[in-house]
Structure formats: C-alpha cells, structure tokens
Amino acid sequence: MNPVRSVSAGVLAAVLLQFPAVRAGAEYPPEIQWTWTADGAAHSDDVALSVVFDGAGNVLAAGREYVPSSFNYSWKVQKLNASGLQQWTGNSNADGGNNGAAFVAVDPSGSAYVAGTDAVPPLQNANFAVIKYGVAGAAVWEDNYNGAANMVDQAFGIARDSSGAVVAVGTEVPSFPYNHWIVRKYSSTGTLQWSKTFGGLLQRDTARAVAVDSSDNVLVCGQVYNYSGQNYDWMLLKLDSSGGLLWSLTVGGTSSDDALAVGTDASGSIFMVSEDGATYHYRKYDPAGAAIWSRTLAGQSGYSVDPSGSLFVTGSVATTKWRPAIWKYGSDGWLQWFASYDSETYGNTWDTAAARGRDLVVGGHREDLPAATGWDWYVVKLTSTDAKFDARMDWGIAAPLVGDVETLVLSVTNVGSAPALLTTPDLSVTSGTAYFPSLIGPVPAPPVTVPAGGSAFFTWSATCTARGSVWVSLTLTGVDATTTAWVTARLVTTAFVDSGLAAAVSVSTTTPAVGQWVTVRLTATATGGAVNGLAPDLGLLSGGGSYTVIAGPT
C-alpha cells in the first residue's frame, strides 16, 4: 500500500490572499503620510469636523476646541502645509460663548471660508456665522446673522461658486421652539447677495449640507418635520444662482429620516447620502432630480462627496480598541476599497474627509493622551497609489510533513509601463505551535529590477520541524522609475505541517466461513515526526450477516 499523507480535516492548505491580486490601474487603499494631533488646554473634547485641500496641497481644518475658562467651546481653524507643518491657527472665543466651526471651503488663492456657530453670552443665543480667512490666517470679513427670535441660529455647510461667491446653509429659529432652513449667499468680499428660508413657521427643519454645480445652481439637503407622521423626512432642494427654487424632493417613511451630505459632478449629476431609519443610502440623481440609483451604506460618523461623485465614509471599527477607518465608494456607488488603521489610543474616529488627486486628508478626534479624559484634535494625510505588481505566493508542498524541506515561491509581475525596482520582500512567519525554524532566502535577494511586463520569482526554503499551522505574511514594496515609493500588495498564506502516516490493513482470511474467527490488523507507520493520540475508527459493513467486534485495537 502507498503511504498516505494525513491532513487534519478543515485545515486550509492552499494559498490565502489577504487582498486579491491587484491589477494595473486599480486604486489601492491609502497609506498614512503624516498625523497632526493637538490637545487643548482643558484636555477635553476637541474635534476637527471639516477638512479641505487648497490648490497648493495645503490642508485647512475646521472644528472646535474646549475652553475651560468659559466652560464652552472655541471655534478653531487650522492650516497645515503639504508636509503636515502648522502654518497658522485661528480661534474665536473672545465673547466666551459656545462656538464651533462646522465646515470649511477654499478658493483658488488659498483663502478659507468657514461656516459655524457664534454664541453670545449671557443667554448663549447662537448666531449663524461665516468668516473668511486670508492666506496668512487673518480674518478678512465676518457675518454673524442673528435671527428675528434672537435664539439659536446655526450654519452647518458652505460651498463656493465659480464667481467666488459662497453659499452657507443651516437653521434659524423664527419662534421658539421651531426652526427652519436658511440659505445665505455672500460675495467674495462678504456682501450678502440673498437670503432664503424654507419650511413653515411651526416646523422643526435643519439644512445640513450644500453643493454648487458647474452652472452655479445650489443643492441643499437636510431634514424636515412631518407632522402627519410625527417624524422626520429628508429633503433635497435645487436653487438657481439667484436663490429661486427649481425643484424639491422630499422622501420619508414610518421612521425618522435625514439627508447628511450632497455633492455634484461636472455633468450636473447629484450625489446625496440619506439616513432612512436605521439604513444609510448613497443616491444619484440627474440634474432634473430623477433618481438614477441607490446603494446601501454602513452607518458611520462622516460622509464626504468629492467633485467626481466619489464618496468617502469615515468612522471607526471595533477590535480590542476603536480603530479609525475609511470606505471609498466610486461614482457608480460601489465600494472601491476599505481600510482601517492602528490606533495608539483606545479610541480614534475619523469624522470627515477630502481628496485631491490621490491624496486624502481626514479629520476627527482621538482619545486624549496622556490624560485619557477627552478627545484630541486629529488630522491625518494619506496617499493612494496605483498597483504596479500582480503578485502570487505558493507553497511548494501544499500539505508538508515534518521533516520535509518546504519552499515558498513568490511570483511578481510588473504590470506597469516602466521598469520597477522591487526593494522588499520582507517575509514574516508566525505559527500556533512549531513551524519553519529559520527561513533560507529569498533567492534571488532583493533589490531586483522587474522590467515592464516582466516577472521575478523569489524562493524561500526551510525544514519543517514540528506539526502545526504556519501563517506567512508578506508586504511588497517597490520604487518606480520616478523614485516614488509605493506599496503594491499584502499577501498572507497558510499551510499545515502534519505528521505523515503510512497505513496497511490485513485480514487472517479473505474467505471466512460463517462462525469462523477473523483477525483484522491495521498497521500505521509514522513517516514524519512523532504521532500522539492515534485513535483509528474501524467501520464494518456487511451484506446479509454481521460482524461482532470483540476486541481492539492492540
């Protein structure tokens, strides 16, 4: 009988890829370039709520910082250069009120337009606030709009049109306890061009986000109260550049709904994120408001639509601690990639994102260090790259035995258009019990130049010393002809090193008579390492009669 290689049931002996083999032109999840954190004086709840790139690749971030002297929040705006170095910071808490910057937009010169709330003591009645900051951080103009009721008026979004004018949206209280949408348009010098409100006198409505299309039409989305259903619906409005209503769309169900983000592409198509009860959707409409498609999303902290119609969903995922995470959906509404990142604290969350080419900036908050009493201001820059390698990793023996010399082969094909220098591979091996004691290789040794369309093969080898599972992980790193570093693929492969058995069965007679004793002997020989706990299970089959097992095994 031929020797039998025994592999435990359910053990994976094939190659597993942590990510599928990546192809030319496929966008890869971004890698962190730098991180900026700031811990306010109160070690309390500081958060970056909006981020944007300017034309030079600098980063503008807006949000809030807690001020212990007034027991309130300060409006905070920050500029970082492309390398993550702070250029300036603007704070607004001179009156001691409860302030906060909600959203930031930028013009081609690098000036920043920030919308938010400016609260006025002693009653803490909030004003709808818009401030323009120059390139060096000085305030150029400011509008603090106080509604007729002198109550809580707030700005939540701002967008810029082709003329340099900006449109800010939010909520105004006409009479307590009601509020309605307010949309205000300013020239680049701060002159109010028009102001519109939407919603009835006795409504509870909030405009949350705004976008401007290539024709300077204004898209506004948010939440409106449905008195008949005693819950909230979401609403999307399209206005012309003078504030005239072109059309509106209101959708609601049996539970409360909301619209959280809106954007538009060069063709005038509209992209919107809605919260429909407990379900989130990414929706596309044509310029006339007709629905094109709707996709289901995960519920997270932030939703940012870029000018191409791509959507960045930001938030966190739970492991042993909360890890910051980001999902990118394409302009067709389908997920392109997902990535989460290690957190040096127990909890990190990304709340907003903006893209500039392959660069991505996110803002949010992380657990305060070292006090762990609140949240730190948190801004991170990442970069996505095109994959240039198609990689595969294989075991020479899919189910190796103890004592086998195993090989691990990595094949790498350059799918780019120029030669690429493979500067890794850096192979790490871990296991549950025992595994390869030391790897020999790779052969050839990197760095290796892989021509366009060509392939390189790397081989590692080692002797399997004991029974157990082996996990091998590999990160491929290379440098292209322009010496730009990029990560192309991460591969993980698993095999099970087992002890081998050679088995043979013999019987004392092959044609026993009825009533005759028959001895069945199973011989098992270990062809690899030691085998413990061997427990054969002998099954007896018969036609008309039966066998009685009276002893064994011995």
Side-chain angles (χ1 to χ4, degrees), residues 215 256 259 261 298 414 437 466:
S215 300
S256 288
N414 180 2

Side-chain angles (χ1 to χ4, degrees), residues 128-317:
F128 179 109
V130 177
I131 301 178
K132 177 181 178 179
Y133 294 88
V135 177
V140 178
W141 56 260
E142 178 176 353
D143 179 63
N144 277 276
Y145 172 70
N146 184 19
N150 193 31
M151 299 294 292
V152 179
D153 310 312
Q154 299 172 284
F156 295 119
I158 192 167
R160 180 181 167 276
D161 74 8
S162 63
S163 71
V166 292
V167 181
V169 301
T171 185
E172 176 189 15
V173 177
S175 62
F176 182 79
Y178 305 106
N179 52 281
H180 56 212
W181 289 23
I182 184 168
V183 183
R184 292 169 67 83
K185 184 173 182 178
Y186 305 86
S187 71
S188 61
T189 58
T191 300
L192 181 66
Q193 296 186 338
W194 50 260
S195 180
K196 304 285 185 178
T197 60
F198 300 91
L201 181 64
L202 303 180
Q203 294 289 100
R204 297 185 177 94
D205 307 332
T206 301
R208 300 201 184 277
V210 59
V212 178
D213 69 14
S214 57
S215 300
D216 291 339
N217 298 308
V218 178
L219 289 309
V220 187
C221 72
Q223 189 178 62
V224 294
Y225 192 70
N226 181 336
Y227 274 95
S228 62
Q230 295 296 300
N231 56 26
Y232 288 93
D233 298 337
W234 62 256
M235 185 165 72
L236 174 65
L237 300 183
K238 184 172 183 177
L239 313 176
D240 63 26
S241 60
S242 300
L245 179 64
L246 298 175
W247 52 258
S248 67
L249 177 65
T250 304
V251 175
T254 56
S255 57
S256 288
D257 309 312
D258 205 348
L260 307 175
V262 66
T264 180
D265 65 13
S267 70
S269 295
I270 301 158
F271 301 84
M272 193 194 77
V273 176
S274 66
E275 179 183 359
D276 304 281
T279 305
Y280 293 75
H281 293 97
Y282 191 34
R283 302 175 181 274
K284 182 178 181 180
Y285 298 90
D286 70 15
I292 298 175
W293 49 251
S294 175
R295 316 280 193 233
T296 301
L297 301 173
Q300 284 291 332
S301 298
Y303 302 88
S304 307
V305 182
D306 79 1
S308 71
S310 296
L311 171 69
F312 295 96
V313 179
T314 45
S316 58
V317 293

Side-chain angles (χ1 to χ4, degrees), residues 36 42 71 83 113 124 133 146 149 165 170 236 287 314-315 350 383 388 485 504 513 536 544 551:
W36 175 277
F71 302 102
S83 299
Y113 301 81
Q124 296 296 317
Y133 294 88
N146 184 19
L236 174 65
T314 45
W350 289 346
T383 298
K388 295 197 173 64

Side-chain angles (χ1 to χ4, degrees), residues 374-394:
W375 301 104
D376 289 344
W377 174 279
Y378 193 37
V379 179
V380 181
K381 181 181 176 181
L382 309 94
T383 298
S384 295
T385 60
D386 278 340
K388 295 197 173 64
F389 285 160
D390 188 359
R392 179 182 175 85
M393 196 156 54
D394 291 289

